[in-house]
Amino acid sequence: MKVLILGGGGREHAMAWSAMKSKHCEELFVAPGNAGTDRIAKNVPIAPTEFLQIKEFVEKENIKMIIVGPEAPLVAGIKDFFIDAGLNDVHIIGPSKGAAMLEGSKDLAKRFMQENDIPTAAHATFTANSVDEGKDFLNTLSSPYVLKADGLAGGKGVLIIDDIDEAKNQLDEMLLHQKFGKAADQVVIEEFLNGTEVSIFVLTDGDHYKILPTAKDYKRIGDDDKGLNTGGMGAISPNLLADEKFIEKVEDKIIRPTLNGLKKKQYDYKGFLFLGLMIVEDEPFVIEYNVRLGDPETQAILPRVQNDLLVMLQKTAQGKLNEIDLTIKKEFAATIVLASNGYPGSYEKGRRITGLDKAGKESIVLHAGTRSSAEKILTSGGRVLTVTHLSSQLKDAIRKSYGSAEHINFSGKYNRTDIGKDMISYMRKKEI
Ligand SMILES: Nc1ncnc2c1ncn2[C@@H]1O[C@H](COP(=O)(O)OP(=O)(O)O)[C@@H](O)[C@H]1O
Ligand SMILES: [Mg+2]
């Protein structure tokens, strides 16, 4: 089977790395890809939201499966586009546009959860015409205040504010002064949930589902979760906070009601579903849905899945996911992100990267913001590379991942130094 992966980050390199191990992978393309995907597959210079160009390429190359990495093409309706174009025999891994709105609109996601009795924070949604009602609603809540731009905002559209006057001021900024642009035409105001966050990843064909390995990601730029929010600076898998009992609760109260809710609406969902959860007194609440895998969690999760990725995805597309037995390696995975100094603010690009081969012999090195130039590999983004190591002991996975990352050099290389440290403390405390 010929396969096309859409996207160009570490998540997509992880998917490509995994797909290349499949005995069903005849030829693999990544659009647009990066220097890492270029080494193992063929990069195609097409943006993931250029549906017409993608369609032409898919027809020309006789591609039978498209794995969609990022949310933008899903929310823009790539699945519906292919069906409307009559290309029903091309398997698209990802939901239809209607279902993708679970990520594309936080307001719709909240309404969906309410309709289906899925536990989530209390909320109300406001527009430019109802700013005053929004401020009245803020008066009914207690600090901190959670304000969310309704639409896609690249992970930057959520504000958590202690002071009520500042919260009201930011509500004005979002609704009246276009902070976050069109994404904040509507603002969801939520009750603050005080708890521990955990993400659960699900693969579903609409009827059946498999729970993928759990993971914990590290979103802040600095050690001890200090500093600005980023796309993610590291991950470990499994996340021991999500034990078997907790996952059963999530299946019962969240996953099954979510899939039933999608079916009631006759939404087609054949792909990955990410549940961002808050654990409050042992009970799961949904913070948000994502309709795709996370980055860098994918780099920690996929190496632990022993099944043939393409078989799993083909069964997903055929509605036969129940025929698969998911086998997950017992080992721990630790993923470290190597970033450009200055990220998530401004940073330099075009720096030469060395030591990749040496690191790659010891650990799984996946590219994110890289590009090839002649024989060299250069930095081209904020998050440049991830290094993942698997080991039976979490502390060894972490130590070896950092050890391999040491071999890699580029000017301005930055990484957090505490990935997984909190989980080691948790294990000690719980005597795991
Ligand atoms: N109701 C809430 N209570 C407490 N924290 C929240 C709440 N909603 C969001 N957060 C925090 O804000 C982060 C971002 O919110 P989220 O809804 O995941 O938006 P996005 O990922 O699109 O930026 C969450 O990971 C969580 O840490
Ligand atoms: Mg989130």
Side-chain angles (χ1 to χ4, degrees), residues 78-94:
I78 188 166
K79 179 108 182 201
D80 310 64
F81 177 90
F82 269 78
I83 290 171
D84 292 346
L87 294 173
N88 299 313
D89 62 331
V90 179
H91 292 325
I92 296 192
I93 306 304

Side-chain angles (χ1 to χ4, degrees), residues 106 146 148 155 158 160 190-193 197 278 287-288:
K106 293 202 188 281
V146 182
K148 299 187 172 185
V158 173
I160 298 184
E190 277 187 22
E191 159 202 23
F192 181 82
L193 295 176
E197 271 185 90
M278 190 71 86
I287 292 278
E288 66 159 349

Side-chain angles (χ1 to χ4, degrees), residues 154-316:
K156 294 188 169 70
V158 173
L159 303 178
I160 298 184
I161 302 166
D162 290 330
D163 180 66
I164 184 133
D165 292 327
E166 178 57 15
K168 289 176 182 174
N169 184 24
Q170 288 299 326
L171 186 67
D172 281 341
E173 287 299 313
M174 289 165 93
L175 288 174
L176 304 177
H177 305 123
Q178 279 73 49
K179 181 170 187 165
F180 307 128
K182 278 202 71 61
D185 277 356
Q186 298 191 87
V187 171
V188 174
I189 301 180
E190 277 187 22
E191 159 202 23
F192 181 82
L193 295 176
N194 201 355
T196 313
E197 271 185 90
V198 44
S199 308
I200 302 280
F201 300 90
V202 177
L203 178 63
T204 181
D205 63 12
D207 289 310
H208 319 96
Y209 64 88
K210 299 285 168 190
I211 297 186
L212 298 171
T214 56
K216 175 175 166 67
D217 72 335
Y218 296 81
K219 279 265 180 274
R220 301 296 194 92
I221 187 72
D223 283 5
D224 300 318
D225 289 331
K226 298 257 162 50
L228 292 174
N229 233 358
T230 71
M233 294 302 294
I236 54 161
S237 176
N239 183 340
L240 299 168
L241 294 173
D243 58 15
E244 236 170 83
K245 232 175 92 194
F246 178 76
I247 289 185
E248 269 171 32
K249 259 188 206 170
V250 173
E251 293 187 76
D252 201 35
K253 296 186 172 172
I254 294 166
I255 298 176
R256 282 192 285 269
T258 297
L259 298 186
N260 286 337
L262 289 168
K263 270 177 100 163
K264 262 191 277 168
K265 288 211 182 296
Q266 297 184 317
Y267 283 155
D268 179 36
Y269 204 122
K270 293 182 167 60
F272 298 103
L273 175 66
F274 165 122
L275 307 169
L277 306 176
M278 190 71 86
I279 311 177
V280 185
E281 289 166 8
D282 275 343
E283 290 297 319
F285 289 79
V286 178
I287 292 278
E288 66 159 349
Y289 291 109
N290 289 341
V291 295
R292 39 129 186 131
L293 287 180
D295 187 335
E297 297 97 315
T298 307
Q299 293 90 307
I301 288 173
L302 286 186
R304 294 189 59 229
V305 175
Q306 278 180 301
N307 300 61
D308 182 315
L309 180 71
L310 296 187
V311 172
M312 261 165 65
L313 296 182
Q314 199 166 29
K315 292 286 182 193
T316 301

